Amino acid sequence: MVNTSEVKWIPTNYRTNTLNEIASNGKLFINSEVTLCGFAEIIRGKGAVCFIRLRDGTGHLQAFIKKGNVSDQELELSQNASRESTFQIKGIIAEKRAPKVPEGEPLPPAEYEIVASEVNILSLAETPMPLGITDKVEVGMDVRLDNRFLDLRRKHVNAMFRLRSKILQYGREHLISEGFGEINSPKIIAAAAEGGTNLFPIKYFDRNAYLSQSPQLYKQLAVMGNLERVFEIGPAFRAEKHDTYRHLNEFISFDIEMAWASDEDVMCVQERMITQIWRKIKENDQNLIDDVNEFRISDGKEPIVVNVPTIPFPRVSYCDAIELIKKSGSDIKWGDDIEAHHADIIAEKYSEFYFIPRWPMSMKPFYIFHDKSEVSKTGGQLSRGFDLNYGRDEMTSGGQREHRAGVLTQNLIDVGLNPDDFDFYVDGFRYGAPPHAGWGLGVARLLMVLTGAGNVRETVLFPRDRKRCTP
Ligand code: AMO
């Protein structure tokens, strides 16, 4: 279930050990008295005995409850308890009786159980449950999300969110190793970073404010303040009316910003980080991938294999991408957005991670560096903005930023924004500004790639879309 080898599990007031500590190292505990806790995944037995398959966040262990070892009332309550009820059990660890194997065949590895001397039911589960934990019954996404606390107890869903935590951990560790420090920017803001149409307005005392779409302006100001290399993992809110497999109205954006750097420099940071995440997951977390695969296989899908990508990821410039798409007969012209169905065509050649650098300035936000030294074949103005795609799906946007206050003000005017609303930001560039670059990566989308999930709702604990703001 979880790789616990490097974790020090300190006893709590409720339990002396985790189930996995006993299950994987039972020999050390034979005849010792321990107190364990868990959900009752399966309860069976009648008369003088009861067997409970206990499950906690680390693994499973069988509890053996026998008449005479516990009170009659404890035995009866255990036998009649509903599945998923929570138990605290005190007892002695013993080796389970070895199963009979045909002569000459090796014995399977020893298994252990707790022989109960005290049973305490902490909470009885109500019945029927809105969805089963171990039963293979089809349930729709809405039922699952309405009861996410139960859905999460299912092995493959649980593994998905442990993998999510690993992506964040390994990503963080990698950036810290490259000299980045973590920041937190405000989520209540007064000016839009990513265009004014998809903002959620909120009342902020006696004035209007918005939920932040991106830490963009603030991560840049942090770099203006000589924090040099910063990253943030935080929520971003978009009032988009999309209803797709990859859009939500709240998502976690994994952002970096880096001084004295170009678009190419931060693309390199990104490919190093993603490669390192993949490598670490392959080294340490195959058990979680196995849990995801067990379900995929039972669902008739191919198992996922974690292949560490090679560096450098291909770079397909915007201009080349347009040519490639045109060649396939698709109706697209320079200056158009590359949508998912266009990216499908690029993905025929580049099926995994690839960057699309050098977008037209007209397609990128005002804060992107306007590269007047280079124009497209058709004479269009180019920027230092890029995207990272995996096949058809965009994972990241980023770029070198505009650090010249005058050009920045002009960019704001060019996209129809009022520079006065951005004084707090442009002022940051008036007193010496390092050239800098950064990116924002959608964590849920990266997890979709890692786990083969077909819908972003699979990879977000409590997703927010147009129809859902509970639980
Ligand atoms: P952008 O708006 O492209 O860029 O967002 C960056 C990445 O965030 C993810 N993303 C989303 N994920 C789920 N639902 C959504 N509605 C959604 N919108 C975006 C995508 C996307 O690639 N400030 C820039 C980043 C930068 O330049 O540093 C920005 O926010 O994976």
Side-chain angles (χ1 to χ4, degrees):
M1 210 170 190
V2 61
N3 188 348
T4 52
S5 55
E6 282 167 24
V7 178
K8 195 170 173 196
W9 292 95
I10 313 276
T12 69
N13 274 324
Y14 281 90
R15 67 178 184 190
T16 56
N17 299 88
T18 67
L19 300 183
N20 185 58
E21 273 178 297
I22 310 289
S24 60
N25 252 326
K27 222 176 178 168
L28 296 181
F29 292 92
I30 291 241
N31 293 329
S32 318
E33 188 180 70
V34 296
T35 305
L36 306 176
C37 289
F39 296 91
E41 198 167 274
I42 303 171
I43 304 176
R44 60 193 172 82
K46 45 183 190 261
V49 293
C50 175
F51 298 94
I52 299 182
R53 178 170 155 88
L54 285 176
R55 182 191 72 241
D56 68 6
T58 68
H60 292 90
L61 195 82
Q62 174 167 286
F64 176 41
I65 304 167
K66 193 177 161 202
K67 193 177 168 74
N69 287 354
V70 298
S71 73
D72 288 354
Q73 196 198 15
E74 284 172 304
L75 177 64
E76 198 185 321
L77 284 173
S78 304
Q79 286 167 333
N80 293 328
S82 40
R83 286 204 283 172
E84 292 303 307
S85 297
T86 50
F87 280 70
Q88 182 190 42
I89 297 183
K90 193 174 186 178
I92 301 289
I93 299 301
E95 191 169 329
K96 268 165 89 174
R97 197 152 3 115
K100 285 205 178 91
V101 291
E103 238 184 81
E105 277 194 22
L107 276 175
E111 285 190 42
Y112 304 89
E113 64 185 0
I114 176 169
V115 181
S117 54
E118 260 180 63
V119 178
N120 179 13
I121 299 182
L122 300 169
S123 155
L124 267 182
E126 288 182 22
T127 54
M129 291 200 295
L131 59 91
I133 307 304
T134 50
D135 328 299
K136 175 126 186 40
V137 183
E138 275 297 307
V139 268
M141 183 63 92
D142 274 331
V143 176
R144 290 180 51 203
L145 292 180
D146 286 343
N147 300 281
R148 190 59 135 178
F149 50 92
L150 282 179
D151 186 45
L152 267 174
R153 293 186 198 172
R154 299 161 79 206
K155 196 157 73 168
H156 66 287
V157 182
N158 203 275
M160 176 76 85
F161 288 96
R162 291 179 193 269
L163 283 167
R164 187 182 164 106
S165 160
K166 297 292 176 185
I167 286 185
L168 299 179
Q169 179 191 337
Y170 299 146
R172 253 194 189 99
E173 284 170 1
H174 180 77
L175 290 177
I176 291 168
S177 80
E178 289 206 15
F180 287 82
E182 188 158 4
I183 58 165
N184 302 102
S185 65
K187 302 304 160 207
I188 299 174
I189 49 118
E194 309 296 331
T197 54
N198 55 13
L199 283 163
F200 282 114
I202 56 165
K203 202 85 208 136
Y204 188 64
F205 301 107
D206 53 356
R207 57 175 292 186
N208 293 325
Y210 307 98
L211 293 179
S212 164
Q213 298 163 304
S214 155
Q216 185 63 40
L217 308 185
Y218 297 94
K219 59 180 182 169
Q220 286 188 260
L221 288 177
V223 169
M224 294 306 113
N226 201 22
L227 285 182
E228 181 92 13
R229 293 180 179 195
V230 296
F231 74 95
E232 172 163 0
I233 303 174
F237 305 89
R238 305 273 170 101
E240 293 161 346
K241 292 194 171 154
H242 293 301
D243 185 10
T244 77
Y245 70 91
R246 61 180 191 173
H247 287 95
L248 291 173
N249 296 106
E250 176 179 349
F251 64 94
I252 297 298
S253 189
F254 194 146
D255 280 78
I256 73 157
E257 205 61 35
M258 180 176 177
W260 325 113
S262 71
D263 46 345
E264 182 57 31
D265 293 316
V266 290
M267 284 193 267
C268 292
V269 174
Q270 175 134 91
E271 60 191 5
R272 285 195 295 271
M273 183 182 96
I274 290 178
T275 309
Q276 180 65 354
I277 293 173
W278 255 237
R279 185 176 300 120
K280 287 264 195 170
I281 285 178
K282 196 176 170 73
E283 278 168 17
N284 306 330
D285 306 300
Q286 188 56 43
N287 56 327
L288 297 174
I289 300 287
D290 291 345
D291 287 348
V292 171
N293 278 340
E294 194 181 305
F295 181 80
R296 284 180 68 84
I297 292 165
S298 74
D299 210 27
K301 298 198 178 101
E302 285 283 308
I304 45 163
V305 180
V306 182
N307 286 323
V308 181
T310 40
I311 285 180
F313 297 170
R315 270 82 167 147
V316 187
S317 74
Y318 173 87
C319 295
D320 289 348
I322 294 291
E323 290 308 314
L324 201 81
I325 299 163
K326 263 192 199 158
K327 259 193 211 144
S328 79
S330 210
D331 185 23
I332 194 168
K333 59 181 187 320
W334 199 91
D336 287 347
D337 197 6
I338 298 176
E339 293 175 26
H341 65 278
H342 296 129
D344 278 337
I345 298 162
I346 309 176
E348 284 169 18
K349 196 162 172 199
Y350 304 101
S351 58
E352 298 188 353
F353 290 109
Y354 61 93
F355 286 109
I356 310 180
R358 308 282 165 105
W359 283 67
M361 191 59 209
S362 57
M363 302 288 302
K364 284 288 164 190
F366 64 86
Y367 51 77
I368 291 288
F369 191 84
H370 189 162
D371 192 356
K372 287 190 172 151
S373 68
E374 214 184 349
V375 285
S376 76
K377 273 194 234 153
T378 51
Q381 296 287 310
L382 285 170
S383 77
R384 288 304 184 102
F386 66 85
D387 283 359
L388 173 76
N389 270 32
Y390 186 93
R392 75 186 322 245
D393 294 318
E394 179 194 313
M395 301 285 116
T396 303
S397 290
Q400 180 167 340
R401 318 306 189 181
E402 189 53 75
H403 65 280
R404 299 158 296 182
V407 184
L408 203 46
T409 304
Q410 189 56 49
N411 285 356
L412 283 163
I413 295 167
D414 289 348
V415 296
L417 291 168
N418 182 355
D420 293 346
D421 294 342
F422 291 84
D423 274 350
F424 77 97
Y425 168 70
V426 180
D427 282 353
F429 298 77
R430 296 192 196 283
Y431 310 100
H436 60 293
W439 42 252
L441 163 72
V443 172
R445 291 195 186 171
L446 195 64
L447 185 59
M448 281 174 78
V449 169
L450 178 72
T451 59
N455 190 321
V456 68
R457 288 160 188 78
E458 296 278 358
T459 62
V460 173
L461 258 189
F462 298 105
R464 294 290 177 255
D465 61 24
R466 269 175 83 192
K467 285 177 253 145
R468 182 175 288 282
C469 72
T470 56

Tab-separated table of all heavy atoms in Angstrom, residues 154-192:
chain	number	residue	atom	x	y	z
A	154	ARG	N	-10.589	3.250	-1.649
A	154	ARG	CA	-10.329	2.215	-2.657
A	154	ARG	C	-8.841	2.280	-3.013
A	154	ARG	O	-8.276	3.375	-3.170
A	154	ARG	CB	-11.214	2.439	-3.878
A	154	ARG	CG	-12.687	2.346	-3.507
A	154	ARG	CD	-13.553	3.002	-4.545
A	154	ARG	NE	-13.744	2.158	-5.689
A	154	ARG	CZ	-14.010	2.605	-6.917
A	154	ARG	NH1	-14.099	3.892	-7.151
A	154	ARG	NH2	-14.208	1.771	-7.895
A	155	LYS	N	-8.264	1.114	-3.155
A	155	LYS	CA	-6.797	1.032	-3.229
A	155	LYS	C	-6.200	1.897	-4.340
A	155	LYS	O	-5.265	2.653	-4.110
A	155	LYS	CB	-6.401	-0.437	-3.419
A	155	LYS	CG	-4.953	-0.687	-3.124
A	155	LYS	CD	-4.666	-2.127	-2.764
A	155	LYS	CE	-4.743	-3.049	-3.950
A	155	LYS	NZ	-4.192	-4.382	-3.674
A	156	HIS	N	-6.767	1.812	-5.525
A	156	HIS	CA	-6.145	2.531	-6.648
A	156	HIS	C	-6.359	4.039	-6.540
A	156	HIS	O	-5.512	4.823	-6.980
A	156	HIS	CB	-6.673	2.017	-7.985
A	156	HIS	CG	-8.116	2.283	-8.225
A	156	HIS	ND1	-9.111	1.600	-7.576
A	156	HIS	CD2	-8.744	3.175	-9.024
A	156	HIS	CE1	-10.288	2.041	-7.977
A	156	HIS	NE2	-10.093	3.007	-8.851
A	157	VAL	N	-7.462	4.437	-5.920
A	157	VAL	CA	-7.710	5.884	-5.767
A	157	VAL	C	-6.757	6.430	-4.696
A	157	VAL	O	-6.143	7.492	-4.856
A	157	VAL	CB	-9.187	6.167	-5.393
A	157	VAL	CG1	-9.437	7.660	-5.296
A	157	VAL	CG2	-10.132	5.533	-6.409
A	158	ASN	N	-6.631	5.664	-3.623
A	158	ASN	CA	-5.711	6.028	-2.554
A	158	ASN	C	-4.291	6.182	-3.105
A	158	ASN	O	-3.585	7.159	-2.821
A	158	ASN	CB	-5.771	4.935	-1.489
A	158	ASN	CG	-5.326	5.416	-0.140
A	158	ASN	OD1	-4.128	5.406	0.124
A	158	ASN	ND2	-6.243	5.865	0.689
A	159	ALA	N	-3.895	5.225	-3.947
A	159	ALA	CA	-2.548	5.253	-4.534
A	159	ALA	C	-2.372	6.501	-5.398
A	159	ALA	O	-1.301	7.124	-5.409
A	159	ALA	CB	-2.313	4.001	-5.362
A	160	MET	N	-3.423	6.875	-6.103
A	160	MET	CA	-3.365	8.050	-6.970
A	160	MET	C	-2.970	9.301	-6.167
A	160	MET	O	-2.118	10.085	-6.578
A	160	MET	CB	-4.768	8.234	-7.583
A	160	MET	CG	-4.949	9.431	-8.422
A	160	MET	SD	-4.176	9.176	-9.999
A	160	MET	CE	-5.469	8.324	-10.865
A	161	PHE	N	-3.563	9.457	-4.982
A	161	PHE	CA	-3.270	10.672	-4.225
A	161	PHE	C	-1.950	10.579	-3.463
A	161	PHE	O	-1.343	11.602	-3.152
A	161	PHE	CB	-4.469	11.035	-3.333
A	161	PHE	CG	-5.588	11.544	-4.202
A	161	PHE	CD1	-6.595	10.704	-4.628
A	161	PHE	CD2	-5.554	12.834	-4.688
A	161	PHE	CE1	-7.579	11.151	-5.499
A	161	PHE	CE2	-6.530	13.295	-5.558
A	161	PHE	CZ	-7.548	12.456	-5.960
A	162	ARG	N	-1.513	9.389	-3.199
A	162	ARG	CA	-0.160	9.249	-2.641
A	162	ARG	C	0.865	9.583	-3.724
A	162	ARG	O	1.898	10.189	-3.446
A	162	ARG	CB	0.049	7.839	-2.100
A	162	ARG	CG	-0.800	7.585	-0.854
A	162	ARG	CD	-0.588	6.177	-0.342
A	162	ARG	NE	-1.593	5.825	0.636
A	162	ARG	CZ	-1.467	6.004	1.956
A	162	ARG	NH1	-0.368	6.551	2.437
A	162	ARG	NH2	-2.431	5.662	2.781
A	163	LEU	N	0.559	9.212	-4.969
A	163	LEU	CA	1.466	9.569	-6.073
A	163	LEU	C	1.474	11.081	-6.282
A	163	LEU	O	2.510	11.675	-6.577
A	163	LEU	CB	1.040	8.861	-7.362
A	163	LEU	CG	1.428	7.384	-7.442
A	163	LEU	CD1	0.709	6.690	-8.589
A	163	LEU	CD2	2.951	7.226	-7.607
A	164	ARG	N	0.329	11.690	-6.098
A	164	ARG	CA	0.261	13.144	-6.235
A	164	ARG	C	1.208	13.798	-5.219
A	164	ARG	O	1.972	14.706	-5.535
A	164	ARG	CB	-1.176	13.619	-6.008
A	164	ARG	CG	-1.349	15.085	-6.295
A	164	ARG	CD	-2.772	15.546	-6.015
A	164	ARG	NE	-2.769	16.981	-5.955
A	164	ARG	CZ	-3.254	17.782	-6.901
A	164	ARG	NH1	-3.830	17.286	-7.946
A	164	ARG	NH2	-3.167	19.083	-6.773
A	165	SER	N	1.160	13.290	-4.000
A	165	SER	CA	2.038	13.828	-2.959
A	165	SER	C	3.513	13.611	-3.327
A	165	SER	O	4.366	14.474	-3.082
A	165	SER	CB	1.680	13.146	-1.641
A	165	SER	OG	2.710	13.257	-0.721
A	166	LYS	N	3.805	12.480	-3.961
A	166	LYS	CA	5.186	12.202	-4.376
A	166	LYS	C	5.641	13.162	-5.466
A	166	LYS	O	6.781	13.636	-5.446
A	166	LYS	CB	5.319	10.760	-4.894
A	166	LYS	CG	5.021	9.707	-3.862
A	166	LYS	CD	6.080	9.701	-2.783
A	166	LYS	CE	5.746	8.707	-1.696
A	166	LYS	NZ	6.693	8.767	-0.586
A	167	ILE	N	4.754	13.448	-6.419
A	167	ILE	CA	5.117	14.399	-7.473
A	167	ILE	C	5.521	15.725	-6.827
A	167	ILE	O	6.546	16.326	-7.180
A	167	ILE	CB	3.931	14.622	-8.438
A	167	ILE	CG1	3.753	13.410	-9.355
A	167	ILE	CG2	4.108	15.898	-9.258
A	167	ILE	CD1	2.678	13.570	-10.428
A	168	LEU	N	4.710	16.174	-5.868
A	168	LEU	CA	5.009	17.465	-5.232
A	168	LEU	C	6.307	17.381	-4.435
A	168	LEU	O	7.148	18.288	-4.492
A	168	LEU	CB	3.844	17.887	-4.327
A	168	LEU	CG	2.504	18.090	-5.042
A	168	LEU	CD1	1.412	18.481	-4.054
A	168	LEU	CD2	2.620	19.164	-6.120
A	169	GLN	N	6.472	16.284	-3.705
A	169	GLN	CA	7.690	16.129	-2.884
A	169	GLN	C	8.947	16.125	-3.755
A	169	GLN	O	9.901	16.874	-3.499
A	169	GLN	CB	7.598	14.826	-2.084
A	169	GLN	CG	8.818	14.565	-1.219
A	169	GLN	CD	8.833	13.150	-0.651
A	169	GLN	OE1	7.797	12.502	-0.527
A	169	GLN	NE2	10.022	12.681	-0.309
A	170	TYR	N	8.933	15.290	-4.801
A	170	TYR	CA	10.143	15.162	-5.624
A	170	TYR	C	10.387	16.443	-6.420
A	170	TYR	O	11.538	16.833	-6.640
A	170	TYR	CB	10.048	13.944	-6.552
A	170	TYR	CG	9.903	12.620	-5.809
A	170	TYR	CD1	9.137	11.579	-6.338
A	170	TYR	CD2	10.521	12.410	-4.578
A	170	TYR	CE1	8.992	10.365	-5.654
A	170	TYR	CE2	10.371	11.205	-3.895
A	170	TYR	CZ	9.612	10.192	-4.435
A	170	TYR	OH	9.457	9.004	-3.763
A	171	GLY	N	9.305	17.080	-6.849
A	171	GLY	CA	9.448	18.348	-7.566
A	171	GLY	C	10.077	19.400	-6.667
A	171	GLY	O	11.037	20.091	-7.038
A	172	ARG	N	9.518	19.504	-5.463
A	172	ARG	CA	10.057	20.449	-4.472
A	172	ARG	C	11.535	20.180	-4.203
A	172	ARG	O	12.366	21.086	-4.248
A	172	ARG	CB	9.349	20.204	-3.141
A	172	ARG	CG	8.382	21.238	-2.745
A	172	ARG	CD	7.994	21.072	-1.281
A	172	ARG	NE	6.901	21.965	-1.025
A	172	ARG	CZ	5.619	21.596	-0.999
A	172	ARG	NH1	5.277	20.343	-1.165
A	172	ARG	NH2	4.688	22.499	-0.787
A	173	GLU	N	11.828	18.915	-3.917
A	173	GLU	CA	13.220	18.566	-3.570
A	173	GLU	C	14.151	18.931	-4.716
A	173	GLU	O	15.248	19.450	-4.490
A	173	GLU	CB	13.323	17.057	-3.278
A	173	GLU	CG	12.780	16.673	-1.932
A	173	GLU	CD	12.640	15.161	-1.712
A	173	GLU	OE1	12.998	14.366	-2.621
A	173	GLU	OE2	12.154	14.783	-0.644
A	174	HIS	N	13.690	18.670	-5.934
A	174	HIS	CA	14.550	18.970	-7.072
A	174	HIS	C	14.812	20.473	-7.168
A	174	HIS	O	15.961	20.915	-7.347
A	174	HIS	CB	13.966	18.451	-8.386
A	174	HIS	CG	14.874	18.774	-9.522
A	174	HIS	ND1	16.024	18.058	-9.759
A	174	HIS	CD2	14.870	19.795	-10.410
A	174	HIS	CE1	16.684	18.609	-10.756
A	174	HIS	NE2	15.989	19.667	-11.183
A	175	LEU	N	13.758	21.259	-7.055
A	175	LEU	CA	13.955	22.712	-7.198
A	175	LEU	C	14.836	23.257	-6.084
A	175	LEU	O	15.702	24.105	-6.315
A	175	LEU	CB	12.593	23.419	-7.212
A	175	LEU	CG	11.769	23.163	-8.475
A	175	LEU	CD1	10.415	23.839	-8.370
A	175	LEU	CD2	12.504	23.646	-9.734
A	176	ILE	N	14.632	22.749	-4.873
A	176	ILE	CA	15.469	23.208	-3.755
A	176	ILE	C	16.935	22.875	-4.066
A	176	ILE	O	17.828	23.691	-3.834
A	176	ILE	CB	14.979	22.603	-2.421
A	176	ILE	CG1	13.620	23.227	-2.058
A	176	ILE	CG2	15.992	22.817	-1.298
A	176	ILE	CD1	12.864	22.555	-0.948
A	177	SER	N	17.155	21.698	-4.664
A	177	SER	CA	18.537	21.312	-4.996
A	177	SER	C	19.128	22.223	-6.071
A	177	SER	O	20.342	22.283	-6.229
A	177	SER	CB	18.603	19.843	-5.443
A	177	SER	OG	18.208	19.734	-6.809
A	178	GLU	N	18.272	22.919	-6.815
A	178	GLU	CA	18.784	23.866	-7.824
A	178	GLU	C	18.748	25.310	-7.312
A	178	GLU	O	18.843	26.250	-8.100
A	178	GLU	CB	17.966	23.762	-9.120
A	178	GLU	CG	18.216	22.469	-9.876
A	178	GLU	CD	17.955	22.593	-11.387
A	178	GLU	OE1	17.859	23.721	-11.901
A	178	GLU	OE2	17.858	21.542	-12.040
A	179	GLY	N	18.562	25.476	-5.992
A	179	GLY	CA	18.674	26.824	-5.415
A	179	GLY	C	17.379	27.605	-5.347
A	179	GLY	O	17.388	28.817	-5.100
A	180	PHE	N	16.242	26.940	-5.560
A	180	PHE	CA	14.952	27.635	-5.467
A	180	PHE	C	14.442	27.628	-4.024
A	180	PHE	O	14.689	26.681	-3.274
A	180	PHE	CB	13.905	26.953	-6.360
A	180	PHE	CG	14.116	27.198	-7.829
A	180	PHE	CD1	15.033	26.442	-8.546
A	180	PHE	CD2	13.403	28.179	-8.492
A	180	PHE	CE1	15.235	26.662	-9.904
A	180	PHE	CE2	13.591	28.412	-9.842
A	180	PHE	CZ	14.514	27.650	-10.558
A	181	GLY	N	13.719	28.694	-3.659
A	181	GLY	CA	13.091	28.768	-2.336
A	181	GLY	C	11.587	28.908	-2.509
A	181	GLY	O	11.111	29.518	-3.469
A	182	GLU	N	10.822	28.364	-1.552
A	182	GLU	CA	9.357	28.350	-1.694
A	182	GLU	C	8.743	29.654	-1.194
A	182	GLU	O	9.133	30.158	-0.141
A	182	GLU	CB	8.799	27.151	-0.904
A	182	GLU	CG	7.327	26.920	-1.128
A	182	GLU	CD	6.891	25.492	-0.804
A	182	GLU	OE1	7.731	24.698	-0.330
A	182	GLU	OE2	5.698	25.193	-1.027
A	183	ILE	N	7.806	30.166	-1.951
A	183	ILE	CA	7.090	31.385	-1.534
A	183	ILE	C	5.586	31.105	-1.532
A	183	ILE	O	5.128	30.100	-2.063
A	183	ILE	CB	7.360	32.590	-2.469
A	183	ILE	CG1	6.972	32.263	-3.926
A	183	ILE	CG2	8.800	33.060	-2.381
A	183	ILE	CD1	6.857	33.481	-4.832
A	184	ASN	N	4.847	32.038	-0.928
A	184	ASN	CA	3.388	31.992	-0.966
A	184	ASN	C	2.894	33.372	-1.348
A	184	ASN	O	3.212	34.348	-0.673
A	184	ASN	CB	2.818	31.623	0.410
A	184	ASN	CG	3.346	30.292	0.892
A	184	ASN	OD1	4.239	30.234	1.726
A	184	ASN	ND2	2.851	29.222	0.350
A	185	SER	N	2.126	33.434	-2.424
A	185	SER	CA	1.629	34.741	-2.874
A	185	SER	C	0.146	34.869	-2.514
A	185	SER	O	-0.524	33.869	-2.248
A	185	SER	CB	1.837	34.873	-4.383
A	185	SER	OG	1.055	33.923	-5.050
A	186	PRO	N	-0.381	36.111	-2.500
A	186	PRO	CA	-1.782	36.281	-2.083
A	186	PRO	C	-2.744	35.670	-3.093
A	186	PRO	O	-2.464	35.644	-4.290
A	186	PRO	CB	-1.948	37.803	-2.038
A	186	PRO	CG	-0.906	38.322	-2.952
A	186	PRO	CD	0.246	37.372	-2.878
A	187	LYS	N	-3.849	35.194	-2.580
A	187	LYS	CA	-4.894	34.643	-3.457
A	187	LYS	C	-6.072	35.617	-3.577
A	187	LYS	O	-6.994	35.376	-4.339
A	187	LYS	CB	-5.372	33.280	-2.940
A	187	LYS	CG	-4.249	32.259	-2.813
A	187	LYS	CD	-3.477	32.038	-4.120
A	187	LYS	CE	-2.113	31.421	-3.884
A	187	LYS	NZ	-1.140	31.761	-4.923
A	188	ILE	N	-6.048	36.672	-2.792
A	188	ILE	CA	-7.030	37.752	-2.951
A	188	ILE	C	-6.290	38.876	-3.643
A	188	ILE	O	-5.280	39.378	-3.127
A	188	ILE	CB	-7.555	38.238	-1.582
A	188	ILE	CG1	-8.242	37.087	-0.862
A	188	ILE	CG2	-8.518	39.416	-1.766
A	188	ILE	CD1	-8.673	37.434	0.555
A	189	ILE	N	-6.749	39.210	-4.844
A	189	ILE	CA	-5.970	40.144	-5.646
A	189	ILE	C	-6.866	41.225	-6.250
A	189	ILE	O	-8.084	41.069	-6.310
A	189	ILE	CB	-5.203	39.402	-6.778
A	189	ILE	CG1	-6.137	38.441	-7.553
A	189	ILE	CG2	-4.068	38.592	-6.228
A	189	ILE	CD1	-6.272	38.768	-8.959
A	190	ALA	N	-6.204	42.282	-6.741
A	190	ALA	CA	-6.977	43.394	-7.301
A	190	ALA	C	-6.847	43.489	-8.814
A	190	ALA	O	-7.647	44.169	-9.451
A	190	ALA	CB	-6.522	44.694	-6.653
A	191	ALA	N	-5.819	42.822	-9.408
A	191	ALA	CA	-5.627	42.948	-10.862
A	191	ALA	C	-5.406	41.582	-11.486
A	191	ALA	O	-4.784	40.695	-10.890
A	191	ALA	CB	-4.410	43.830	-11.146
A	192	ALA	N	-5.913	41.403	-12.703
A	192	ALA	CA	-5.852	40.112	-13.386
A	192	ALA	C	-4.495	39.906	-14.029
A	192	ALA	O	-3.976	40.795	-14.697
A	192	ALA	CB	-6.915	40.070	-14.470
